[in-house]
Amino acid sequence: MLKIAGVVLCEILVYTLLKQYKPEFAVISEAASLVLLIFLLGDEIENAISSFSFFFDSSGLPSEYIAVLLKVSGIALITQFSADMCRDSGESAMASKVEFAGKIIITAASIPVIEGFTGLIARLVESV
């Protein structure tokens, strides 16, 4: 956690200085710090994926649901980061469009899960 805090504090300093003198580079430094944070969080991300896999394996749910869950989580994180970068650049209208696009993509990616649950509900209704 100390490494992450150090990276964040350094990024805040670099971003603040660049925003005053070279705003176009401030966004680039923000993106670079995100990449560095993702590398620092690699073990934690791997542990989370393993935990989700174990949960789904023991629950008896279809294994493709884990792929959908991971895909949706990734889309949500990328969407949030992109929208935040737009806001930091003063483009709040673009941030709203990025968030809307993310919601559409998440909905489309969730269709296999929705189909599975509607099929389950249909079988339950037929058995009653």
Side-chain angles (χ1 to χ4, degrees), residues 15-35:
Y15 181 82
T16 303
L17 289 172
L18 286 175
K19 192 170 182 179
Q20 290 177 351
Y21 301 108
K22 294 283 188 182
E24 61 274 8
F25 292 128
V27 175
I28 295 170
S29 75
E30 188 177 26
S33 69
L34 174 71
V35 171

Side-chain angles (χ1 to χ4, degrees), residues 9-99:
L9 288 175
C10 289
E11 172 53 26
I12 289 170
L13 292 172
V14 170
Y15 181 82
T16 303
L17 289 172
L18 286 175
K19 192 170 182 179
Q20 290 177 351
Y21 301 108
K22 294 283 188 182
E24 61 274 8
F25 292 128
V27 175
I28 295 170
S29 75
E30 188 177 26
S33 69
L34 174 71
V35 171
L36 182 58
L37 286 174
I38 288 173
F39 282 119
L40 290 174
L41 291 172
D43 291 337
E44 296 299 322
I45 293 169
E46 187 177 331
N47 290 339
I49 291 171
S50 297
S51 296
F52 281 129
S53 295
F54 176 75
F55 169 73
F56 274 97
D57 289 344
S58 63
S59 70
L61 292 171
S63 61
E64 66 261 5
Y65 290 175
I66 182 83
V68 172
L69 176 66
L70 293 175
K71 186 185 295 186
V72 166
S73 297
I75 293 167
L77 290 172
I78 291 169
T79 300
Q80 183 65 47
F81 173 72
S82 301
D84 288 344
M85 285 189 63
C86 290
R87 281 190 197 88
D88 289 345
S89 300
E91 298 290 334
S92 60
M94 183 60 77
S96 297
K97 292 173 185 168
V98 167
E99 289 173 339

